[in-house]
Amino acid sequence: MAIIELTKDNFDKEVVESDKKVLIDFWASWCVPCRMLSPTVDAIAEERDDVKVCKVNVDKQGELASAFNVSSIPMLVVIKDKKVVDTSVGLISKNEIIKMLEK
């Protein structure tokens, strides 16, 4: 499944109204750990049809970053049924992300 660039304008449609779990990757282009995590997030998007994978560039979408209290990146957020069910800050493994998605 393709990765969706989240903005404040498409957030409700892509996240709130989603019937799938949503994995959101908060990142920035200058963040080395974000760039290291990105291929892992991309792979999960390719492999998992049961999860909608979204990315938020914190430099361009400050309102969304603030709404999720993002203070460090990369930050991953898993949303299920309109509720945050798990979060992670920093570089983590693919297995750890999959465990987050299983909650």
Side-chain angles (χ1 to χ4, degrees):
M1 182 178 279
I3 292 177
I4 298 161
E5 272 303 317
L6 278 184
T7 66
K8 64 181 182 174
D9 297 325
N10 70 357
F11 182 83
D12 283 348
K13 176 181 178 277
E14 299 296 347
V15 178
V16 176
E17 297 171 14
S18 178
D19 56 352
K20 297 181 179 185
K21 277 186 193 167
V22 181
L23 173 65
I24 305 174
D25 177 14
F26 289 90
W27 68 283
S29 60
W30 49 263
C31 168
V32 174
C34 297
R35 291 197 311 261
M36 293 169 66
L37 184 62
S38 186
T40 304
V41 173
D42 295 348
I44 288 171
E46 288 293 318
E47 296 167 9
R48 302 279 302 252
D49 289 333
D50 62 322
V51 176
K52 185 182 281 192
V53 179
C54 303
K55 292 190 178 192
V56 175
N57 183 326
V58 297
D59 291 332
K60 295 180 181 176
Q61 298 298 322
E63 284 183 50
L64 280 180
S66 292
F68 282 88
N69 297 314
V70 176
S71 59
S72 295
I73 53 174
M75 179 173 160
L76 298 177
V77 175
V78 178
I79 297 176
K80 179 182 177 186
D81 299 326
K82 302 177 189 169
K83 294 181 180 144
V84 174
V85 294
D86 206 354
T87 61
S88 171
V89 176
L91 187 60
I92 63 172
S93 71
K94 184 176 181 181
N95 285 340
E96 290 172 298
I97 297 171
I98 290 169
K99 285 179 188 172
M100 290 174 63
L101 294 171
E102 291 172 355
K103 291 184 179 178

